[in-house]
Amino acid sequence: ADVCYVSSLSYLPYKNFGASVGLNLTIPIYDGNQRKLQYQRIDILEQSRTYNRDFYTAQYHQQIMQLSQQLQTTGNIINETKDQLKYVQTLMDANRKLLVTGDVRVADYLIAISNYLNAQNTITQNIIKQFQVITQINYWNIR
């Protein structure tokens, strides 16, 4: 609705009033399948989200299983190396006793010591590797 007064003369001012009423109506007859396209777009976004979630979950479980297997393998290697360390220790002790009597050369005794130190080094490296795997498992569990 609109009401106005238009006049440049003051003669018969009541004749200069005017009023009007209008109606504006918008009716969509055809939206170009925009609603259908919007629903399809939302559906595609939802499918992408669920696919990404499932993919991440599968990757997470696969990574945790692989790290658990590495942890178990490293523990087995440490135990086997500790068993070998006992044998090397026994060999080193026997070589020490035989060195005193002169039945073993000094080079053989030094090789036995080197083997003992290598076994200890292997155990230490595998313990470090075990801690690294535990750290990775903790990282994945935090996420």
Side-chain angles (χ1 to χ4, degrees):
D2 188 18
V3 177
C4 66
Y5 174 78
V6 178
S7 174
S8 60
L9 300 171
S10 60
Y11 179 71
L12 300 172
Y14 63 91
K15 291 185 178 182
N16 294 328
F17 280 101
S20 67
V21 175
L23 179 64
N24 187 3
L25 183 62
T26 304
I27 300 173
I29 298 173
Y30 178 68
D31 67 348
N33 287 329
Q34 293 300 315
R35 182 179 297 167
K36 182 179 175 184
L37 292 174
Q38 184 70 15
Y39 288 152
Q40 288 175 349
R41 184 178 148 279
I42 291 170
D43 187 45
I44 290 171
L45 288 173
E46 179 63 19
Q47 288 175 359
S48 297
R49 186 192 65 79
T50 57
Y51 173 77
N52 289 338
R53 183 198 64 208
D54 294 343
F55 177 77
Y56 177 77
T57 303
Q59 287 292 105
Y60 169 79
H61 289 301
Q62 183 180 7
Q63 189 73 23
I64 291 295
M65 285 175 41
Q66 182 181 9
L67 290 172
S68 297
Q69 185 178 11
Q70 276 184 336
L71 188 62
Q72 183 180 4
T73 303
T74 305
N76 292 340
I77 291 172
I78 289 172
N79 291 335
E80 290 174 7
T81 308
K82 284 182 180 179
D83 290 340
Q84 289 177 358
L85 187 65
K86 290 177 188 176
Y87 293 126
V88 171
Q89 176 71 37
T90 305
L91 180 64
M92 194 173 65
D93 290 341
N95 282 340
R96 185 180 319 122
K97 290 177 184 176
L98 292 174
L99 185 64
V100 173
T101 62
D103 293 333
V104 173
R105 296 181 303 155
V106 174
D108 292 336
Y109 182 64
L110 291 176
I111 290 172
I113 291 174
S114 175
N115 289 339
Y116 178 78
L117 293 175
N118 286 337
Q120 279 186 331
N121 187 29
T122 302
I123 289 173
T124 304
Q125 287 176 348
N126 283 314
I127 288 173
I128 290 170
K129 184 177 178 182
Q130 196 174 32
F131 284 135
Q132 288 173 339
V133 171
I134 289 171
T135 302
Q136 288 179 350
I137 289 172
N138 289 337
Y139 170 77
W140 279 99
N141 285 334
I142 288 173
R143 300 181 91 207

mmCIF file of all heavy atoms in Angstrom, residues 41-71:
data_model
loop_
_atom_site.group_PDB
_atom_site.id
_atom_site.type_symbol
_atom_site.label_atom_id
_atom_site.label_comp_id
_atom_site.label_asym_id
_atom_site.label_seq_id
_atom_site.Cartn_x
_atom_site.Cartn_y
_atom_site.Cartn_z
ATOM 1 N N ARG A 41 23.229 -33.922 -4.031
ATOM 2 C CA ARG A 41 24.501 -33.389 -3.535
ATOM 3 C C ARG A 41 24.696 -33.761 -2.071
ATOM 4 O O ARG A 41 25.783 -34.202 -1.667
ATOM 5 C CB ARG A 41 24.538 -31.878 -3.715
ATOM 6 C CG ARG A 41 25.836 -31.230 -3.332
ATOM 7 C CD ARG A 41 25.782 -29.714 -3.598
ATOM 8 N NE ARG A 41 26.562 -29.002 -2.659
ATOM 9 C CZ ARG A 41 26.229 -28.649 -1.417
ATOM 10 N NH1 ARG A 41 25.034 -28.938 -0.972
ATOM 11 N NH2 ARG A 41 27.057 -28.003 -0.637
ATOM 12 N N ILE A 42 23.658 -33.607 -1.266
ATOM 13 C CA ILE A 42 23.741 -33.965 0.154
ATOM 14 C C ILE A 42 23.992 -35.465 0.308
ATOM 15 O O ILE A 42 24.794 -35.884 1.155
ATOM 16 C CB ILE A 42 22.464 -33.521 0.893
ATOM 17 C CG1 ILE A 42 22.424 -31.995 0.974
ATOM 18 C CG2 ILE A 42 22.398 -34.124 2.284
ATOM 19 C CD1 ILE A 42 21.096 -31.448 1.476
ATOM 20 N N ASP A 43 23.336 -36.268 -0.521
ATOM 21 C CA ASP A 43 23.526 -37.715 -0.469
ATOM 22 C C ASP A 43 24.958 -38.095 -0.831
ATOM 23 O O ASP A 43 25.575 -38.945 -0.169
ATOM 24 C CB ASP A 43 22.531 -38.395 -1.411
ATOM 25 C CG ASP A 43 22.553 -39.898 -1.272
ATOM 26 O OD1 ASP A 43 22.559 -40.388 -0.124
ATOM 27 O OD2 ASP A 43 22.569 -40.588 -2.321
ATOM 28 N N ILE A 44 25.521 -37.456 -1.839
ATOM 29 C CA ILE A 44 26.906 -37.735 -2.232
ATOM 30 C C ILE A 44 27.871 -37.324 -1.119
ATOM 31 O O ILE A 44 28.836 -38.038 -0.818
ATOM 32 C CB ILE A 44 27.243 -37.035 -3.562
ATOM 33 C CG1 ILE A 44 26.480 -37.701 -4.703
ATOM 34 C CG2 ILE A 44 28.742 -37.036 -3.824
ATOM 35 C CD1 ILE A 44 26.565 -36.960 -6.012
ATOM 36 N N LEU A 45 27.631 -36.182 -0.504
ATOM 37 C CA LEU A 45 28.476 -35.747 0.609
ATOM 38 C C LEU A 45 28.418 -36.740 1.773
ATOM 39 O O LEU A 45 29.442 -37.046 2.392
ATOM 40 C CB LEU A 45 28.060 -34.354 1.077
ATOM 41 C CG LEU A 45 28.412 -33.196 0.150
ATOM 42 C CD1 LEU A 45 27.797 -31.895 0.663
ATOM 43 C CD2 LEU A 45 29.913 -33.053 0.030
ATOM 44 N N GLU A 46 27.250 -37.250 2.065
ATOM 45 C CA GLU A 46 27.103 -38.228 3.143
ATOM 46 C C GLU A 46 27.811 -39.533 2.798
ATOM 47 O O GLU A 46 28.467 -40.132 3.659
ATOM 48 C CB GLU A 46 25.613 -38.479 3.424
ATOM 49 C CG GLU A 46 25.345 -39.485 4.512
ATOM 50 C CD GLU A 46 25.857 -39.064 5.873
ATOM 51 O OE1 GLU A 46 26.100 -37.861 6.088
ATOM 52 O OE2 GLU A 46 26.029 -39.940 6.734
ATOM 53 N N GLN A 47 27.708 -39.972 1.559
ATOM 54 C CA GLN A 47 28.401 -41.189 1.146
ATOM 55 C C GLN A 47 29.914 -41.006 1.240
ATOM 56 O O GLN A 47 30.635 -41.913 1.689
ATOM 57 C CB GLN A 47 28.007 -41.570 -0.285
ATOM 58 C CG GLN A 47 26.604 -42.109 -0.416
ATOM 59 C CD GLN A 47 26.224 -42.361 -1.876
ATOM 60 O OE1 GLN A 47 27.016 -42.119 -2.787
ATOM 61 N NE2 GLN A 47 25.013 -42.839 -2.092
ATOM 62 N N SER A 48 30.395 -39.843 0.850
ATOM 63 C CA SER A 48 31.835 -39.558 0.953
ATOM 64 C C SER A 48 32.279 -39.566 2.406
ATOM 65 O O SER A 48 33.344 -40.111 2.732
ATOM 66 C CB SER A 48 32.161 -38.208 0.325
ATOM 67 O OG SER A 48 31.875 -38.214 -1.040
ATOM 68 N N ARG A 49 31.478 -38.987 3.259
ATOM 69 C CA ARG A 49 31.832 -38.945 4.682
ATOM 70 C C ARG A 49 31.890 -40.342 5.274
ATOM 71 O O ARG A 49 32.848 -40.687 5.979
ATOM 72 C CB ARG A 49 30.816 -38.094 5.444
ATOM 73 C CG ARG A 49 31.184 -37.870 6.913
ATOM 74 C CD ARG A 49 30.016 -37.290 7.691
ATOM 75 N NE ARG A 49 28.907 -38.197 7.782
ATOM 76 C CZ ARG A 49 28.825 -39.228 8.635
ATOM 77 N NH1 ARG A 49 29.813 -39.477 9.463
ATOM 78 N NH2 ARG A 49 27.763 -40.003 8.674
ATOM 79 N N THR A 50 30.907 -41.171 4.979
ATOM 80 C CA THR A 50 30.906 -42.534 5.525
ATOM 81 C C THR A 50 32.048 -43.361 4.933
ATOM 82 O O THR A 50 32.670 -44.152 5.649
ATOM 83 C CB THR A 50 29.553 -43.235 5.287
ATOM 84 O OG1 THR A 50 29.266 -43.240 3.893
ATOM 85 C CG2 THR A 50 28.445 -42.558 6.057
ATOM 86 N N TYR A 51 32.333 -43.159 3.640
ATOM 87 C CA TYR A 51 33.461 -43.881 3.041
ATOM 88 C C TYR A 51 34.770 -43.478 3.725
ATOM 89 O O TYR A 51 35.593 -44.336 4.060
ATOM 90 C CB TYR A 51 33.546 -43.600 1.542
ATOM 91 C CG TYR A 51 34.782 -44.168 0.902
ATOM 92 C CD1 TYR A 51 34.882 -45.525 0.618
ATOM 93 C CD2 TYR A 51 35.869 -43.344 0.604
ATOM 94 C CE1 TYR A 51 36.027 -46.051 0.050
ATOM 95 C CE2 TYR A 51 37.020 -43.867 0.041
ATOM 96 C CZ TYR A 51 37.089 -45.215 -0.238
ATOM 97 O OH TYR A 51 38.228 -45.731 -0.780
ATOM 98 N N ASN A 52 34.980 -42.190 3.923
ATOM 99 C CA ASN A 52 36.206 -41.722 4.577
ATOM 100 C C ASN A 52 36.302 -42.241 6.005
ATOM 101 O O ASN A 52 37.378 -42.630 6.461
ATOM 102 C CB ASN A 52 36.277 -40.202 4.556
ATOM 103 C CG ASN A 52 36.544 -39.656 3.170
ATOM 104 O OD1 ASN A 52 37.067 -40.369 2.310
ATOM 105 N ND2 ASN A 52 36.176 -38.416 2.944
ATOM 106 N N ARG A 53 35.193 -42.251 6.714
ATOM 107 C CA ARG A 53 35.191 -42.764 8.087
ATOM 108 C C ARG A 53 35.539 -44.249 8.102
ATOM 109 O O ARG A 53 36.377 -44.687 8.891
ATOM 110 C CB ARG A 53 33.819 -42.554 8.726
ATOM 111 C CG ARG A 53 33.771 -43.018 10.196
ATOM 112 C CD ARG A 53 32.364 -43.222 10.682
ATOM 113 N NE ARG A 53 31.775 -44.311 9.902
ATOM 114 C CZ ARG A 53 30.488 -44.433 9.655
ATOM 115 N NH1 ARG A 53 29.644 -43.538 10.102
ATOM 116 N NH2 ARG A 53 30.022 -45.438 8.953
ATOM 117 N N ASP A 54 34.927 -45.022 7.219
ATOM 118 C CA ASP A 54 35.204 -46.453 7.158
ATOM 119 C C ASP A 54 36.649 -46.727 6.747
ATOM 120 O O ASP A 54 37.306 -47.618 7.292
ATOM 121 C CB ASP A 54 34.242 -47.149 6.193
ATOM 122 C CG ASP A 54 32.800 -47.112 6.676
ATOM 123 O OD1 ASP A 54 32.570 -46.845 7.872
ATOM 124 O OD2 ASP A 54 31.899 -47.339 5.838
ATOM 125 N N PHE A 55 37.146 -45.942 5.800
ATOM 126 C CA PHE A 55 38.526 -46.097 5.353
ATOM 127 C C PHE A 55 39.494 -45.794 6.499
ATOM 128 O O PHE A 55 40.441 -46.548 6.739
ATOM 129 C CB PHE A 55 38.808 -45.169 4.168
ATOM 130 C CG PHE A 55 40.225 -45.210 3.690
ATOM 131 C CD1 PHE A 55 40.675 -46.273 2.916
ATOM 132 C CD2 PHE A 55 41.102 -44.188 4.010
ATOM 133 C CE1 PHE A 55 41.985 -46.317 2.477
ATOM 134 C CE2 PHE A 55 42.413 -44.224 3.573
ATOM 135 C CZ PHE A 55 42.855 -45.289 2.802
ATOM 136 N N TYR A 56 39.268 -44.716 7.231
ATOM 137 C CA TYR A 56 40.136 -44.360 8.348
ATOM 138 C C TYR A 56 40.083 -45.432 9.433
ATOM 139 O O TYR A 56 41.116 -45.801 9.999
ATOM 140 C CB TYR A 56 39.748 -42.993 8.933
ATOM 141 C CG TYR A 56 40.576 -42.636 10.127
ATOM 142 C CD1 TYR A 56 41.879 -42.170 9.984
ATOM 143 C CD2 TYR A 56 40.075 -42.777 11.420
ATOM 144 C CE1 TYR A 56 42.658 -41.851 11.075
ATOM 145 C CE2 TYR A 56 40.854 -42.466 12.521
ATOM 146 C CZ TYR A 56 42.139 -42.003 12.339
ATOM 147 O OH TYR A 56 42.909 -41.703 13.418
ATOM 148 N N THR A 57 38.893 -45.942 9.707
ATOM 149 C CA THR A 57 38.755 -46.981 10.726
ATOM 150 C C THR A 57 39.512 -48.244 10.317
ATOM 151 O O THR A 57 40.205 -48.853 11.139
ATOM 152 C CB THR A 57 37.265 -47.295 10.958
ATOM 153 O OG1 THR A 57 36.593 -46.092 11.333
ATOM 154 C CG2 THR A 57 37.082 -48.315 12.056
ATOM 155 N N ALA A 58 39.388 -48.626 9.052
ATOM 156 C CA ALA A 58 40.109 -49.805 8.569
ATOM 157 C C ALA A 58 41.618 -49.587 8.646
ATOM 158 O O ALA A 58 42.368 -50.482 9.072
ATOM 159 C CB ALA A 58 39.685 -50.131 7.149
ATOM 160 N N GLN A 59 42.074 -48.394 8.242
ATOM 161 C CA GLN A 59 43.496 -48.078 8.320
ATOM 162 C C GLN A 59 43.983 -48.113 9.772
ATOM 163 O O GLN A 59 45.075 -48.603 10.049
ATOM 164 C CB GLN A 59 43.771 -46.698 7.731
ATOM 165 C CG GLN A 59 43.672 -46.625 6.234
ATOM 166 C CD GLN A 59 44.771 -47.409 5.566
ATOM 167 O OE1 GLN A 59 44.512 -48.478 5.049
ATOM 168 N NE2 GLN A 59 45.980 -46.907 5.575
ATOM 169 N N TYR A 60 43.189 -47.578 10.672
ATOM 170 C CA TYR A 60 43.548 -47.560 12.089
ATOM 171 C C TYR A 60 43.725 -48.981 12.615
ATOM 172 O O TYR A 60 44.739 -49.305 13.244
ATOM 173 C CB TYR A 60 42.462 -46.815 12.882
ATOM 174 C CG TYR A 60 42.583 -46.966 14.372
ATOM 175 C CD1 TYR A 60 43.515 -46.223 15.086
ATOM 176 C CD2 TYR A 60 41.785 -47.861 15.071
ATOM 177 C CE1 TYR A 60 43.639 -46.367 16.453
ATOM 178 C CE2 TYR A 60 41.901 -48.007 16.435
ATOM 179 C CZ TYR A 60 42.826 -47.262 17.123
ATOM 180 O OH TYR A 60 42.947 -47.417 18.470
ATOM 181 N N HIS A 61 42.744 -49.849 12.352
ATOM 182 C CA HIS A 61 42.822 -51.223 12.852
ATOM 183 C C HIS A 61 43.987 -51.974 12.210
ATOM 184 O O HIS A 61 44.683 -52.741 12.892
ATOM 185 C CB HIS A 61 41.504 -51.951 12.599
ATOM 186 C CG HIS A 61 40.388 -51.451 13.469
ATOM 187 N ND1 HIS A 61 40.432 -51.485 14.846
ATOM 188 C CD2 HIS A 61 39.196 -50.901 13.156
ATOM 189 C CE1 HIS A 61 39.328 -50.981 15.342
ATOM 190 N NE2 HIS A 61 38.556 -50.608 14.327
ATOM 191 N N GLN A 62 44.211 -51.741 10.924
ATOM 192 C CA GLN A 62 45.331 -52.386 10.249
ATOM 193 C C GLN A 62 46.659 -51.935 10.847
ATOM 194 O O GLN A 62 47.556 -52.743 11.075
ATOM 195 C CB GLN A 62 45.273 -52.068 8.759
ATOM 196 C CG GLN A 62 46.361 -52.742 7.945
ATOM 197 C CD GLN A 62 46.257 -52.396 6.463
ATOM 198 O OE1 GLN A 62 45.457 -51.558 6.060
ATOM 199 N NE2 GLN A 62 47.072 -53.037 5.661
ATOM 200 N N GLN A 63 46.788 -50.649 11.104
ATOM 201 C CA GLN A 63 48.025 -50.118 11.683
ATOM 202 C C GLN A 63 48.252 -50.667 13.085
ATOM 203 O O GLN A 63 49.374 -51.051 13.436
ATOM 204 C CB GLN A 63 47.965 -48.586 11.701
ATOM 205 C CG GLN A 63 49.261 -47.928 12.078
ATOM 206 C CD GLN A 63 50.292 -48.009 10.982
ATOM 207 O OE1 GLN A 63 49.975 -48.160 9.825
ATOM 208 N NE2 GLN A 63 51.557 -47.918 11.345
ATOM 209 N N ILE A 64 47.200 -50.718 13.888
ATOM 210 C CA ILE A 64 47.340 -51.234 15.255
ATOM 211 C C ILE A 64 47.725 -52.714 15.222
ATOM 212 O O ILE A 64 48.579 -53.168 15.995
ATOM 213 C CB ILE A 64 46.033 -51.012 16.052
ATOM 214 C CG1 ILE A 64 45.818 -49.514 16.317
ATOM 215 C CG2 ILE A 64 46.046 -51.772 17.371
ATOM 216 C CD1 ILE A 64 46.862 -48.876 17.204
ATOM 217 N N MET A 65 47.111 -53.479 14.327
ATOM 218 C CA MET A 65 47.454 -54.902 14.224
ATOM 219 C C MET A 65 48.908 -55.089 13.789
ATOM 220 O O MET A 65 49.628 -55.938 14.324
ATOM 221 C CB MET A 65 46.508 -55.603 13.246
ATOM 222 C CG MET A 65 45.126 -55.842 13.810
ATOM 223 S SD MET A 65 43.922 -56.549 12.650
ATOM 224 C CE MET A 65 44.848 -57.747 11.765
ATOM 225 N N GLN A 66 49.347 -54.278 12.831
ATOM 226 C CA GLN A 66 50.726 -54.377 12.364
ATOM 227 C C GLN A 66 51.707 -54.008 13.480
ATOM 228 O O GLN A 66 52.713 -54.690 13.680
ATOM 229 C CB GLN A 66 50.935 -53.469 11.161
ATOM 230 C CG GLN A 66 52.329 -53.540 10.572
ATOM 231 C CD GLN A 66 52.499 -52.587 9.393
ATOM 232 O OE1 GLN A 66 51.640 -51.760 9.121
ATOM 233 N NE2 GLN A 66 53.610 -52.694 8.706
ATOM 234 N N LEU A 67 51.410 -52.956 14.223
ATOM 235 C CA LEU A 67 52.293 -52.554 15.315
ATOM 236 C C LEU A 67 52.306 -53.589 16.432
ATOM 237 O O LEU A 67 53.351 -53.855 17.033
ATOM 238 C CB LEU A 67 51.878 -51.179 15.841
ATOM 239 C CG LEU A 67 52.151 -50.007 14.896
ATOM 240 C CD1 LEU A 67 51.520 -48.738 15.439
ATOM 241 C CD2 LEU A 67 53.635 -49.818 14.675
ATOM 242 N N SER A 68 51.156 -54.188 16.706
ATOM 243 C CA SER A 68 51.101 -55.243 17.723
ATOM 244 C C SER A 68 51.943 -56.443 17.298
ATOM 245 O O SER A 68 52.645 -57.043 18.115
ATOM 246 C CB SER A 68 49.660 -55.673 17.967
ATOM 247 O OG SER A 68 48.902 -54.604 18.466
ATOM 248 N N GLN A 69 51.869 -56.779 16.017
ATOM 249 C CA GLN A 69 52.673 -57.889 15.510
ATOM 250 C C GLN A 69 54.161 -57.552 15.599
ATOM 251 O O GLN A 69 54.975 -58.398 15.979
ATOM 252 C CB GLN A 69 52.279 -58.195 14.065
ATOM 253 C CG GLN A 69 52.963 -59.413 13.495
ATOM 254 C CD GLN A 69 52.508 -59.710 12.074
ATOM 255 O OE1 GLN A 69 51.827 -58.899 11.447
ATOM 256 N NE2 GLN A 69 52.884 -60.852 11.559
ATOM 257 N N GLN A 70 54.527 -56.319 15.276
ATOM 258 C CA GLN A 70 55.926 -55.897 15.405
ATOM 259 C C GLN A 70 56.386 -55.978 16.849
ATOM 260 O O GLN A 70 57.506 -56.404 17.126
ATOM 261 C CB GLN A 70 56.102 -54.468 14.911
ATOM 262 C CG GLN A 70 56.297 -54.325 13.442
ATOM 263 C CD GLN A 70 56.561 -52.869 13.059
ATOM 264 O OE1 GLN A 70 56.181 -51.942 13.777
ATOM 265 N NE2 GLN A 70 57.212 -52.660 11.931
ATOM 266 N N LEU A 71 55.519 -55.563 17.763
ATOM 267 C CA LEU A 71 55.857 -55.594 19.183
ATOM 268 C C LEU A 71 56.092 -57.035 19.643
ATOM 269 O O LEU A 71 57.051 -57.320 20.360
ATOM 270 C CB LEU A 71 54.742 -54.931 19.992
ATOM 271 C CG LEU A 71 54.999 -54.702 21.469
ATOM 272 C CD1 LEU A 71 56.179 -53.761 21.657
ATOM 273 C CD2 LEU A 71 53.759 -54.117 22.122
#
